[in-house]
């Protein structure tokens, strides 16, 4: 019997011709507050390395979205012994950043973007997705294909435009005080 290894350039291997893998970051994190904090910090570092500098409104908005989605995965999607997955992709040509956070809990799903309830004024929770909706160009969720869980995603368009970096007028360049005021 002869065993022959497949060629490294075999056509049976998946290819992603439209995705720049140099601008994609993905990693699994423990489903704990420490894991959510680490995901947020690594995403912030990666955005800076991709040319979305620390201290700019697009950077701060995207990092806030990552923080809210990862915190929700820990709080509402936690299954003992299971991690959550973060995917961060910055598209060069469309100037779009896509954030995806996948957890393994299917029975607790968020409301849709058009059905977000406003939290009680004295309530201590329920504002995270309102912040995401205020900062992201679009967001949503879907059940995880081929396994238990769900993916909550958000997209921010216009992060690379020099005018957006200079003046907060576009999506994900909303000032954080304005987003906080609209959410609470």
């Amino acid at each position: 019997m002869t065993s022959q290894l497949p060629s490294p350039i075999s056509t049976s291997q998946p290819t992603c011709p439209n995705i720049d893998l140099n601008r994609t970051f993905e990693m699994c994190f423990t489903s704990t507050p420490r894991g959510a904090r680490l995901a947020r910090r690594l995403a912030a570092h990666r955005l800076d390395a991709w040319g979305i500098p620390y201290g700019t409104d697009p950077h701060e908005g995207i990092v806030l979205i990552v923080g809210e989605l990862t915190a929700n995965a820990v709080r509402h999607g936690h299954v003992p012994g299971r991690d959550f997955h973060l995917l961060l992709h910055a598209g060069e040509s469309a100037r779009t950043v896509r954030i995806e956070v996948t957890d393994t809990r299917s029975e607790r799903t968020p409301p849709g973007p058009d059905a977000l309830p406003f939290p009680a004024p004295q309530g201590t929770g329920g504002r995270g997705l309102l912040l995401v909706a205020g900062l992201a160009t679009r967001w949503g969720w879907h059940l995880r294909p081929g396994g238990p869980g769900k993916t909550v995603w958000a997209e921010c368009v216009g992060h690379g435009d020099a005018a957006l970096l200079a003046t907060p007028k576009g999506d994900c360049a909303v000032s954080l005080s304005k987003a906080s005021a609209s959410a609470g």
Side-chain angles (χ1 to χ4, degrees), residues 12 28 41 58 61 95 98 114 121 124 136-137 142 154 161-162 164 179-180 183:
S12 65
C28 288
R41 292 189 68 175
R95 297 185 325 264
R98 183 174 175 94
D114 297 333
T124 60
T137 306
H142 56 82
D161 189 345
L164 283 179
S180 297

Side-chain angles (χ1 to χ4, degrees), residues 37-138:
R37 185 173 55 248
L38 179 60
R40 186 185 71 239
R41 292 189 68 175
L42 290 176
H45 177 73
R46 191 57 59 110
L47 289 168
D48 184 61
W50 290 341
I52 305 170
Y54 284 106
T56 61
D57 285 338
H59 184 277
E60 298 301 319
I62 294 166
V63 170
L64 180 59
I65 291 169
V66 170
E68 289 299 332
L69 295 182
T70 58
N72 283 350
V74 170
R75 183 171 183 176
H76 304 292
H78 175 73
V79 173
R82 300 290 181 138
D83 296 337
F84 71 87
H85 180 264
L86 170 68
L87 172 79
L88 184 66
H89 176 74
E92 184 67 37
S93 61
R95 297 185 325 264
T96 300
V97 175
R98 183 174 175 94
I99 304 115
E100 295 184 7
V101 177
T102 303
D103 63 50
T104 54
R105 195 161 195 182
S106 301
E107 68 275 7
R108 293 189 73 181
T109 58
D114 297 333
L116 282 176
F118 282 96
Q122 306 302 353
T124 60
R127 290 169 177 81
L129 286 178
L130 288 173
L131 285 170
V132 171
L135 292 169
T137 306
R138 58 189 158 271

